Amino acid sequence: MLILVRHGQTGANARGLLCGRADLPLTDLGRHQARELAAALPRPSRVVSSPLRRARETAAALAPDAVEVDERWIEMDYGDLDGAVPADVDAGTWRRWRTDPDFVPAGGESLAAVGVRVREACHELADDAARGDVVVVSHVSPIKAAVAWALGVDDTTAWRMFLADAGVCRIDTGGPVPRLLTFSVAG
């Protein structure tokens, strides 16, 4: 099973900010969420994490000595919009971002680029996940891209999903095609 875990809460998440590549720590609630995830999830054969602190802290609660860091699971680069309040982003930018997967916010990364790197990572983990539980601790955009991979849908489908802090998604990779079993379930 490929188990995708969104990191626990950060201060920026609590304030509803766009939180891309900022390397933020977990809040007290986020650390509590990580401990609850560790207690609720099965002992995985592998734990893979984004390099960002909030993901590594969450992953460390699951496997203190055996976390593999994979850059492909890093959050989308929001560029100049990192740290912005979503309501402050102009309507034209949102419209373009939501309809054009190749749109790149100033200094950032496109949704399509996130999809390419995450699909590659999913393909590489699929065989191991078919034989045992592989947990990936990541962020909203990469997890949504992995779900889009599992469903065989376009990258822009990500805009129709909501993934909670410490939300868990499960993808069965044991069959001829990946199957999404759960989405954004509490640990």
Side-chain angles (χ1 to χ4, degrees), residues 5 22 24 48 62 71 75 100 103 136 138 140 144 146 149 169 186:
V5 175
L24 306 170
V48 178
L62 303 172
E71 295 281 337
E75 179 58 289
D100 180 0
F103 172 73
V136 175
S138 188
V140 168
K144 289 179 179 183
W149 164 78
C169 305

Side-chain angles (χ1 to χ4, degrees), residues 83-170:
V85 175
D88 291 345
V89 178
D90 71 90
T93 298
W94 276 120
R95 190 170 29 263
R96 180 129 185 251
W97 208 356
R98 288 185 171 158
T99 59
D100 180 0
D102 294 314
F103 172 73
V104 178
E109 173 182 34
S110 72
L111 196 59
V114 174
V116 167
R117 64 179 161 84
V118 169
R119 281 190 295 277
E120 178 184 278
C122 288
H123 283 296
E124 287 180 19
L125 292 174
D127 286 342
D128 282 352
R131 291 189 297 273
D133 292 329
V134 174
V135 173
V136 175
V137 182
S138 188
H139 313 271
V140 168
S141 299
I143 292 173
K144 289 179 179 183
V147 169
W149 164 78
L151 296 175
V153 297
D154 182 83
D155 291 321
T156 59
T157 303
W159 294 110
R160 296 174 178 251
M161 301 178 210
F162 175 80
L163 184 60
D165 293 338
V168 177
C169 305
R170 288 177 173 81

Side-chain angles (χ1 to χ4, degrees), residues 6 9-20 22 24-25 27 82-84:
R6 184 180 178 199
Q9 183 194 67
T10 68
N13 298 136
R15 292 189 308 277
L17 305 178
L18 291 174
C19 185
L24 306 170
T27 61
D82 203 345

